[in-house]
Amino acid sequence: PWHLLKVQDKALQRNRQVRAFFDELNDKLYDYRYRPVANFVNNVQQVYLGLGVYGNGAIYIDRPDKQKGLRYRNIHIGEAYFVENHAGIVDTLYRVFPLDARQLVQKFPATCPREVTEAAAQATQSGKKFNVLHAVHPREDYVPGMIGARALPFVSIYMLLDTNDTPILQEGGYSSFPYSISRYTQASGETYGRGPAQYV
């Protein structure tokens, strides 16, 4: 294992039961990360390639459908627009990406408009692409401990862009920012990074 979680309190670090708990937690995290459904290795390699070429890398971390664990997805920098907060940490991301009708119905079965469900039902139209916006940003009305979406510090909204009424496909939130953003090198004041291929 190349990564470990540990408690910050040094007194607790000396407690045998606490150490045993974190040993088990680290094993579980490692197992979840390297399960085939997580697809971590393939996606993190794509992030490294993106860093080398574009100087920016983005990976999306969520949960597998109807399973426990983690799932990773490399995000092409051409799909993503991200913003830093006052401390220089990325806390907002807008991503526009294409999904075909079949993929949209798989991901948002209850909220897809009729145009999409009809296209998915037709073999000749199932591959028709639709642009989806995923917006993630800090929640302004965040209330810790509250039940519901307001208890999550980050807002998540999926919207369909290629229809007349621009419906919201899914609205929810995250307990932590789900996109991990890396930059190869940055000058002072820059939000986006620069990679070795750009210098060449």
Side-chain angles (χ1 to χ4, degrees), residues 3 27 34 59 63 68 70 72 76 79 93 97 105 132 136 139 148 156-158 160 169 171 174 186 189:
H3 53 68
D27 288 343
Y34 284 95
I59 196 162
R63 294 179 182 155
K68 292 181 179 180
L70 301 168
Y72 297 84
H76 191 281
E79 294 179 354
L93 187 137
F97 60 101
V105 171
V132 177
V136 181
R139 184 180 296 279
S156 168
I157 299 174
Y158 283 94
L160 189 60
L169 297 169
E171 190 169 357
Y174 298 98
Q186 289 174 275

Side-chain angles (χ1 to χ4, degrees), residues 120-188:
Q122 299 176 20
T124 56
Q125 294 288 317
S126 62
K128 182 180 178 183
K129 299 284 187 180
F130 296 86
N131 284 317
V132 177
L133 167 68
H134 187 206
V136 181
H137 57 82
R139 184 180 296 279
E140 293 179 4
D141 59 349
Y142 170 51
V143 181
M146 187 173 184
I147 295 173
R150 289 177 63 191
L152 299 169
F154 289 94
V155 175
S156 168
I157 299 174
Y158 283 94
M159 295 176 68
L160 189 60
L161 300 181
D162 294 335
T163 57
N164 293 330
D165 52 353
T166 313
I168 292 177
L169 297 169
Q170 187 182 79
E171 190 169 357
Y174 298 98
S175 55
S176 60
F177 192 62
Y179 288 95
S180 180
I181 308 297
S182 49
R183 277 74 60 94
Y184 186 84
T185 186
Q186 289 174 275
S188 178

Side-chain angles (χ1 to χ4, degrees), residues 76-150:
H76 191 281
I77 195 63
E79 294 179 354
Y81 174 79
F82 51 84
V83 182
E84 295 177 337
N85 64 13
H86 69 283
I89 297 168
V90 175
D91 68 350
T92 300
L93 187 137
Y94 300 97
R95 176 187 173 213
V96 176
F97 60 101
L99 290 178
D100 65 36
R102 185 179 70 90
Q103 292 168 333
L104 272 167
V105 171
Q106 284 175 338
K107 185 163 179 62
F108 310 105
T111 54
C112 279
R114 179 185 291 180
E115 176 186 348
V116 175
T117 55
E118 288 177 353
Q122 299 176 20
T124 56
Q125 294 288 317
S126 62
K128 182 180 178 183
K129 299 284 187 180
F130 296 86
N131 284 317
V132 177
L133 167 68
H134 187 206
V136 181
H137 57 82
R139 184 180 296 279
E140 293 179 4
D141 59 349
Y142 170 51
V143 181
M146 187 173 184
I147 295 173
R150 289 177 63 191

